[in-house]
Structures are given as C-alpha cells and as structure tokens.
Amino acid sequence: MRKNNDNLVIILLAGGVGNRLNKHTSKQLMYYHNETILEKSIIRFQKYLKDVPIQVVSNKRDLKKVKKIIKKHNILLPVFGGKERHESVYNALVEIENFNPKYVLIHDTARPLVSSDVIKKLLEYCDKDITCVVPTLNLTDSIRTVSKKLIKEVVNRQDKVLVQTPQLCDYKLLFNAHKKSKRVYEDESSLFLSNKMKVIAIEGDPLTLKITYRKDLKLLEPHLCDNNVKYITKIGNGFDIHRFDIKKSTEKNFINLGGIKINNINPLIGHSDADVLLHAITDSILGIINKGDIGKLFPPSENKWKNADSSIFLKHASVMLKKEKGKINNIDAIIICEKPKILNYSQKIVENIGRILDVNPQRISIKGKTSEGIGFIGRQEGIAAMAITSAQIPEIILDD
C-alpha cells in the first residue's frame, strides 16, 4: 500500500482477559481454523503493511502462548500491559521509543477483522501533519438514555459516531500526553480530545466489530472461519510397523516415539530413526492431499535420510497440507505394543506433535493398545502404529 513505512510502528493490544465472555481462554487466544484471534490481526497487518514493526502488549497469564505466536510470525517481543487500556498503550510507547517513529497505529486485537480500506485511508495521513485519525461509524439506530431498565430521554443522534481502531497517532504527542495524564481514557482519541487537540474521523468498517460478548463471536464467526471458501472434510489413514533390534541390550538404548525419546528399551530397526507413530501420522496427512506415502518422498535408498529425525518428515507433510490450504481438524492415533506403556508418555507425545504441526494439542489423541501376547507384537518383537487424520481442505471442482 505504502512504499515507505519507516516512520510507523504498529501496537497490538492483547492484554485483556475477556471476563465478559466468561471463558477460561483470553479472547485474543481463541482459535478459529488453527489461528488465534491475535494471529488473525498480525497476519492482516503483515499483509497490508509489510516490514512495519509490530509491538504486541500481553498480560502475564498469556505470555508463554503469546511468545510462541510472536516467534512464529517474527515480530517484536511482547511487553506487559497494565490494568487499564491506557496503561498498556503507554508501556508499548516506552518499549518502541528506540524506533523513534513519527506515527503509531494502535489496534485492539479484539477487533480481528480490520480492513485494507481502513488502513489505506489511515495511511493517507502519514504524509500530513496530524495528531490523531480514527475510523468511525455513523449511527443508524435511535439513541436513548436508560436507568433501571426504564428509558429516560431521547438523545439526538445527529453528529454522533461510534469510534473504532486502529487509530493513527503522532507518536511524540501521544507519548507526552500519556506522561502528563493522570486520568483513565477509553482510547487515544479521547486522550487527545481532553487536551483540546484535533482528531480526524474517517469512514470505518462495520465488520471491524469488537469482541466483547458471546453474541459478538456468533456475528463474526462466519468471517473468522473464512467461509467464502467452500471446504470439504477429507480423511487420511497411516500405518507403520518396526522390529526391535533384540540383539542389542536395553541398557543405554532408546526409541523415538512421537518424537519423544524413551530410554531403557531395545532400539527399533529402520533407515531413519524408526519412529512408527510419526511415520503413520505423516502418511495419514499425505493421504489427504494425495501425495503418496513417506517412502515415496523420503526413500530409504537415499543415504541422506539415514538416522534422520522423523519430525522432518511430519513437518514436510504439514507444509504440503498448508500449501493446499488444508487445516487439520483432528488426529487420532493408536500405538500397538507390549512395551513401553504408552499412558506414561502420551501427554508429552501429544504436546510434541502439536508443536511440530503447529496444531492445538487438544485436536490430537494418542492411545496405547497391547496385542494380548498374540503374534509378532505380543512376543515383544516390535511396535506398530495406526493414525487417522481429518482435515478441512478447499473443494477442487473439476471441469467436465
């Protein structure tokens, strides 16, 4: 949109906990199609404003999760917010002081659907001498005052608007106004107006609705889930089996299972690290996108895959799925063995696979079964794994 963004820094406010939503998860960390509300804001700003620094403000409770998101999208480390919004803004202004920006673009991440048109209109003022520019919406409903469920009086809606974010502000003027202020302000425009400074209004976007109550989520959900694309559900199956090297002692030996190292067990025989679970899940993902199997992409005839970490294979399959715009719904896997006892490791395995795939671990199920002493596995000669992966993927319509 704008070639020179050297004088601009974006501040994303993600410090709220969403008490009015009555949810255990902060609203900015709620998932929609494998992306949090916070990520949707980051992705939109990175798309519309490339190479502009983004400073996220977080609360302490969510810091670990926010850091993970920030690392994924390669933006600035987060700063802690305050009890009130204006305190969070001030902390961010202090944090970005070394950038010495001319302007800051401050946005509430509880408004995940900021539009390119609004950003474009705001940026037009970056070449002008302004204090603050805010997107607004005209009122269409009538206004009344109410007390104890009784309407008291009519309020004239003429010349009244609803104020949204992002708000474009002169960095130094905003910084100095915060330093001098001892009051609580709803947003940047109210702070400037209290200091009798000029605030410019531009046309906002009705879809840039702020998520405050559960009803707001219902209104935005179709847009958050990108329902303009028709998705279908596809399911892929995966299976793998490996023998134990019974010639080797269990002491000082180990296996890799779901990317987790399990000690004091005979190693599994394989060209790579013989991780049966990751191999099965990899094949199940490849099945969804019709890309063959793990042996086709990583043939055992190639020495470069000798003793390779199987997470490489799983990550590659995940990238291929994402290129097809596929999004994992869930993974259900069964490990069949007499040893080790899967229950002792299942949670660590789930978390590790979630990390590799960048998928919410709650979408992953890992179960262990024995073969009741029957056959190859019952004789403790090896381990098998079966996996089913379900994913949403855009429907491909073939021409007749």
Side-chain angles (χ1 to χ4, degrees), residues 2 13 31 33 97 108 122 199 219 223 243 259 301 328 332 343 351 392:
R2 178 179 165 83
L13 300 175
Y31 276 88
H33 275 221
E97 192 170 8
D108 298 326
L122 288 168
V199 176
L219 287 171
H223 306 281
R243 289 183 297 147
S301 58
I328 291 175
D332 187 19
L343 186 61
E351 291 173 358
Q392 293 290 105

Side-chain angles (χ1 to χ4, degrees), residues 311-374:
S311 64
I312 297 171
F313 310 151
L314 183 58
K315 186 67 178 177
H316 184 78
S318 172
V319 170
M320 293 176 72
L321 178 65
K322 288 178 180 177
K323 284 183 179 178
E324 301 283 339
K325 300 188 184 302
K327 301 168 185 178
I328 291 175
N329 289 330
N330 74 298
I331 297 171
D332 187 19
I334 300 174
I335 304 167
I336 309 164
C337 61
E338 301 296 325
K339 62 177 183 180
K341 189 175 182 180
I342 301 306
L343 186 61
N344 295 338
Y345 304 97
S346 58
Q347 187 57 40
K348 286 185 178 180
I349 290 173
V350 163
E351 291 173 358
N352 188 56
I353 293 172
R355 179 187 59 80
I356 295 170
L357 295 174
D358 195 24
V359 168
N360 188 337
Q362 293 181 353
R363 294 174 179 261
I364 302 169
S365 170
I366 303 296
K367 296 169 287 191
K369 296 289 183 181
T370 71
S371 64
E372 300 293 341
I374 301 170

Side-chain angles (χ1 to χ4, degrees), residues 282-283 286-287 290-299:
T282 300
D283 272 352
L286 293 175
N290 307 324
K291 298 296 182 182
D293 60 21
I294 196 169
K296 178 182 177 181
L297 295 181
F298 308 98

Side-chain angles (χ1 to χ4, degrees), residues 372-383:
E372 300 293 341
I374 301 170
F376 167 81
I377 292 174
R379 294 192 299 269
Q380 300 186 22
E381 295 174 6
I383 298 179

Side-chain angles (χ1 to χ4, degrees), residues 124-248:
E124 290 174 356
Y125 286 89
C126 282
D127 294 323
K128 303 174 183 179
D129 186 18
I130 58 95
T131 300
C132 181
V133 184
V134 301
T136 62
L137 295 176
N138 292 326
L139 294 173
T140 55
D141 292 323
S142 299
I143 310 173
R144 307 287 186 267
T145 62
V146 63
S147 176
K148 297 180 180 180
K149 297 184 178 181
L150 292 176
I151 292 177
K152 295 297 183 181
E153 61 181 347
V154 175
V155 178
N156 189 340
R157 72 182 179 208
Q158 186 176 356
D159 298 329
K160 293 178 178 64
V161 294
L162 300 174
V163 176
Q164 300 180 310
T165 68
Q167 299 189 5
L168 180 71
C169 305
D170 182 290
Y171 172 77
K172 290 183 179 178
L173 290 178
L174 182 62
F175 200 0
N176 291 332
H178 270 285
K179 285 181 179 179
K180 296 175 183 178
S181 175
K182 295 182 180 179
R183 291 175 53 192
V184 174
Y185 292 97
E186 291 182 345
D187 63 356
E188 291 65 61
S189 66
S190 61
L191 174 58
F192 282 123
L193 290 171
S194 71
N195 285 276
K196 303 189 184 316
M197 294 183 180
K198 185 178 179 180
V199 176
I200 299 171
I202 63 167
E203 184 180 356
D205 186 337
L207 278 181
T208 311
L209 176 69
K210 186 176 181 181
I211 299 171
T212 305
Y213 303 102
R214 286 180 179 271
K215 290 182 180 180
D216 302 329
L217 282 171
K218 292 293 183 182
L219 287 171
L220 289 181
E221 191 167 3
H223 306 281
L224 292 171
C225 293
D226 194 20
N227 280 357
N228 293 325
V229 178
K230 185 176 181 180
Y231 283 85
I232 59 174
T233 300
K234 292 189 69 176
I235 295 172
N237 296 292
F239 175 81
D240 196 35
I241 189 167
H242 282 277
R243 289 183 297 147
F244 285 122
D245 189 346
I246 57 177
K247 294 179 181 178
K248 293 185 179 181

Side-chain angles (χ1 to χ4, degrees), residues 6 39 75 107 173 251 257 264 273:
D6 295 339
E39 284 181 280
I75 59 176
H107 183 62
L173 290 178
E251 293 182 8
L257 196 57
N264 301 318
D273 63 2

